[in-house]
């Protein structure tokens, strides 16, 4: 037997075992169903009376991490009303997020603004003091709304 072919076979076998391991890790890692979670979050926001338009984005990936973000137009005219609307959006999001299967800690970067006034934006960081002082996450929303 040629020594090079023996090395090639071992390399191919090792690569195959490694690929199988990666595939199985992906299947059994307990990741959330992104489409299901995103639909639930979007529906929760759309059910609010302040909602005018906009989309909630949910990502649960290996490299980019888990995040909830979105730009939402709300039926408000003052900054204070927009802040209250974003608080209601946050509460709707967290109450919809927690019952979902296999969800993890997620960063939250929502933006709300009155219709036709995208320059009057209120962000998650404007109204929720992140515990870690870096960014707002789902744990901050759980604490804000005293959810156990």
């Amino acid at each position: 037997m040629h020594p090079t072919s023996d090395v090639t076979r071992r390399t191919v076998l090792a690569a195959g075992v490694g690929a199988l391991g990666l595939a199985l890790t992906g299947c059994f890692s307990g990741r959330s169903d992104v489409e299901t979670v995103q639909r639930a979050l979007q529906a929760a926001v759309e059910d609010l009376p302040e909602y005018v338009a906009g989309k909630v984005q949910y990502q649960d990936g290996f490299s980019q991490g888990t995040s909830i973000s979105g730009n939402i137009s709300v039926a408000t005219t003052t900054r204070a009303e927009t802040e209250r609307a974003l608080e209601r959006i946050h509460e709707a999001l967290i109450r919809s997020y927690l019952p979902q299967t296999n969800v993890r800690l997620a960063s939250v970067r929502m933006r709300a603004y009155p219709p036709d006034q995208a320059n009057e934006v209120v962000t998650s960081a404007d109204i929720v003091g992140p515990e870690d002082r870096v960014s707002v996450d789902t744990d901050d929303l759980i604490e804000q709304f005293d959810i156990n």
Side-chain angles (χ1 to χ4, degrees):
M1 178 178 291
H2 194 272
T4 308
S5 62
D6 190 35
V7 170
T8 303
R9 268 191 233 130
R10 278 188 258 158
T11 303
V12 169
L13 179 62
V17 169
L20 179 61
L22 284 174
L24 290 175
T25 299
C27 292
F28 299 109
S29 66
R31 305 301 283 208
S32 63
D33 180 337
V34 173
E35 288 182 31
T36 299
V37 175
Q38 183 161 328
R39 276 194 308 271
L41 297 176
Q42 184 71 36
V45 171
E46 288 181 8
D47 283 346
L48 296 173
E50 298 91 344
Y51 175 82
V52 174
K55 194 158 175 97
V56 176
Q57 296 292 321
Y58 174 68
Q59 293 185 320
D60 186 9
F62 290 105
S63 61
Q64 74 270 24
T66 305
S67 66
I68 301 168
S69 61
N71 290 304
I72 307 295
S73 177
V74 291
T76 61
T77 56
T78 68
R79 181 170 179 88
E81 289 174 349
T82 305
E83 288 174 357
R84 283 191 297 277
L86 185 53
E87 286 176 356
R88 287 178 44 88
I89 288 168
H90 281 159
E91 185 170 11
L93 288 173
I94 195 64
R95 291 192 184 279
S96 179
Y97 185 68
L98 291 176
Q100 301 299 316
T101 304
N102 294 326
V103 292
R104 304 177 303 148
L105 177 72
S107 66
V108 179
R109 293 181 303 263
M110 296 300 295
R111 297 165 35 100
Y113 55 90
D116 301 322
Q117 296 181 29
N119 59 335
E120 297 293 327
V121 171
V122 176
T123 68
S124 295
D126 291 336
I127 62 170
V128 179
E131 185 176 299
D132 64 6
R133 300 291 168 226
V134 176
S135 63
V136 177
D137 60 35
T138 49
D139 282 351
D140 296 319
L141 298 184
I142 290 168
E143 184 176 319
Q144 179 181 7
F145 299 108
D146 197 27
I147 300 171
N148 295 321

